[in-house]
Amino acid sequence: MSRITTPVTGAAIALALAGMIATNAPLSGQAQTAKPATAKPATAKPAARWVLPRTPDGKPDLQGNWTNETQTPLERQGAQGGTLTDDQARKIEDRARFVEEYRDKASDPNRAAPPKGGEAGKLAPPGERSFIEQIAEAAGGAVGGYNGFWLDPGLNVIRIDGVARSSIIIDPPNGRVPPLTDLGKKRMAEINARARKYGEFDHPEMRPLADRCLLSFGSNAGPPMLPNYFYNNNYTIVQTPDHIMIMAEMVHDVRIIRMNAKAHVNARNQPWLGDSIGRWEGDTLVVETTNIHPMQREQSAILWAYRGASENLKVTERFTRTGPDTILYRFTMEDPTVFTAPFTGEVPYTKIDEMVYEYACHEGNYAMTNILSGERKREAAAAEKKQ
């Protein structure tokens, strides 16, 4: 989990000092004398031009630790446009900081116990709830989820070229996942019917992938690699001429991208995170992924972009280093079987100087045992009541 701050660069300090010098203001207590006619005003030294770092084989260097945490949702909310005004962006970010401070407040050790069943709607800070707050409340329900200390979704909206975005998806123009085809609707109906065949607490296989520590509760490792709006939205990238490794902090999922491979693996081979082949187009890393595991493609919750995608799904990602601390990540998803049109999104990755730690999902995790044993106890109590 990382808290990101924006560093003040040396160039910014130099420009600020230059502005002070240019005013020619006298120092306190210094006698003012006439300025020689030949004197020239001081000028700011131009900032050093950023040079794209490269690996020994001449390719852009994407290595290091990065984060894609943000307050910007995957899909556009409401009827707003594709970009936000400065006031709209500031309102979202101010709310995020208020929520963080509210959750970090010390709790009252003498408070009364909450009522049985929890306190629906009373766990959120006062005021209009943000998109991320609504997700957190839905995940925790009336009894709450994680203590606010652990939540680290990010405090800022996406800004690209200085313009604030209202959603990660930029195409279609409405900023939303396209409608499903008739076959796509049929697939989703079949997935839902299969899920209803058993109770959601009947056995471990009915629990979500995150409960089973198979994948994140969102598409962190992808593809596409998206923020989960909770925590651990961090990545480590390691590069060689033949392979690029991307490790997601969430569930320490690892993607291995085979560089310049000629073909994808046999279609019967469908691993978690799919089969990724990379190539360089100029200074942009282009990654094409197919053969994504069917259980991964069937994810349809709001934090996933698959919505029941078929075996024909292809995800194309583009990684472009745009500055000393930024990678612009762009993805396009194509599946004519399920979606009526392709769709594209963008999110910047920001460099972090902190370490990325192992996410030991099952270590000391009693959730699965408690979920299933709690349901068995409820069933036993119901059976006893009938007798």
Side-chain angles (χ1 to χ4, degrees):
M1 180 178 70
S2 304
R3 305 267 182 177
I4 309 304
T5 58
T6 304
V8 179
T9 64
I13 295 174
L15 288 172
L17 290 175
M20 293 169 61
I21 295 172
T23 63
N24 199 31
L27 298 175
S28 177
Q30 178 181 356
Q32 300 186 42
T33 57
K35 183 179 178 182
T38 57
K40 295 182 180 180
T43 57
K45 187 177 181 179
R49 177 175 172 271
W50 176 71
V51 177
L52 175 66
R54 297 185 181 275
T55 58
D57 62 341
K59 303 302 182 184
D61 192 346
L62 306 177
Q63 298 180 103
N65 293 342
W66 306 84
T67 184
N68 64 359
E69 62 180 20
T70 182
Q71 287 281 315
T72 303
L74 172 64
E75 297 185 82
R76 192 172 306 155
Q77 307 296 296
Q80 59 191 174
T83 60
L84 301 173
T85 65
D86 289 341
D87 285 343
Q88 288 173 323
R90 191 178 305 112
K91 181 179 178 181
I92 294 171
E93 293 171 343
D94 287 347
R95 174 68 183 182
R97 286 169 174 78
F98 169 69
V99 169
E100 182 179 65
E101 292 169 2
Y102 183 92
R103 286 176 171 163
D104 284 348
K105 289 192 305 182
S107 58
D108 179 6
N110 298 313
R111 68 192 185 282
K116 182 178 179 179
E119 299 177 283
K122 294 185 178 180
L123 301 175
E128 184 179 354
R129 291 175 300 164
S130 68
F131 160 75
I132 291 179
E133 289 177 78
Q134 293 176 50
I135 290 178
E137 184 170 301
V143 297
Y146 286 100
N147 182 291
F149 170 83
W150 299 106
L151 300 180
D152 188 26
L155 301 174
N156 300 317
V157 300
I158 288 174
R159 286 180 174 80
I160 296 178
D161 294 330
V163 179
R165 297 275 180 87
S166 62
S167 63
I168 290 176
I169 293 178
I170 60 172
D171 185 55
N174 67 1
R176 300 189 64 80
V177 174
L180 301 180
T181 63
D182 289 341
L183 186 54
K185 294 175 184 176
K186 182 174 181 291
R187 284 178 56 83
M188 280 305 304
E190 291 171 348
I191 292 169
N192 292 333
R194 197 160 59 243
R196 289 193 299 268
K197 185 177 179 181
Y198 303 98
E200 61 177 320
F201 306 111
D202 278 2
H203 52 82
E205 287 75 15
M206 293 306 299
R207 300 307 304 151
L209 300 180
D211 279 6
R212 299 165 64 188
C213 291
L214 295 174
L215 289 178
S216 170
F217 41 70
S219 189
N220 279 103
M225 302 194 309
L226 302 174
N228 64 41
Y229 303 107
F230 283 85
Y231 55 78
N232 293 351
N233 295 290
N234 303 323
Y235 302 83
T236 296
I237 300 178
V238 177
Q239 234 172 299
T240 75
D242 299 322
H243 296 87
I244 293 178
M245 182 215 74
I246 304 178
M247 186 194 73
E249 181 177 18
M250 197 68 186
V251 197
H252 53 267
D253 284 325
V254 176
R255 293 182 62 189
I256 303 295
I257 299 166
R258 300 181 293 132
M259 297 301 295
N260 303 312
K262 300 302 181 184
H264 287 284
V265 297
N266 189 288
R268 292 192 300 271
N269 188 348
Q270 299 180 12
W272 296 112
L273 316 181
D275 177 47
S276 297
I277 292 177
R279 65 182 185 276
W280 290 99
E281 290 185 0
D283 287 337
T284 295
L285 171 66
V286 180
V287 180
E288 181 183 283
T289 303
T290 62
N291 300 38
I292 297 173
H293 195 289
M295 289 177 63
Q296 186 174 346
R297 289 186 277 103
E298 288 181 1
Q299 299 305 301
S300 58
I302 192 172
L303 298 181
W304 297 86
Y306 296 126
R307 313 298 162 87
S310 75
E311 65 277 6
N312 298 318
L313 174 66
K314 181 177 75 171
V315 184
T316 303
E317 302 162 285
R318 296 176 179 271
F319 300 76
T320 306
R321 187 84 182 260
T322 55
D325 300 314
T326 312
I327 292 173
L328 179 59
Y329 174 74
R330 182 185 180 101
F331 68 89
T332 298
M333 298 185 67
E334 302 171 81
D335 185 354
T337 303
V338 169
F339 299 112
T340 53
F343 57 100
T344 297
E346 286 184 336
V347 58
Y349 281 51
T350 304
K351 197 171 186 63
I352 56 175
D353 294 326
E354 301 173 38
M355 295 179 66
V356 174
Y357 294 92
E358 177 193 9
Y359 185 85
C361 187
H362 270 309
E363 185 177 323
N365 180 2
Y366 303 103
M368 184 65 77
T369 302
N370 291 343
I371 288 169
L372 300 181
S373 62
E375 181 66 6
R376 301 294 80 78
K377 185 174 179 61
R378 189 193 69 80
E379 290 169 347
E384 184 177 347
K385 187 176 181 180
K386 285 183 178 180
Q387 293 175 356

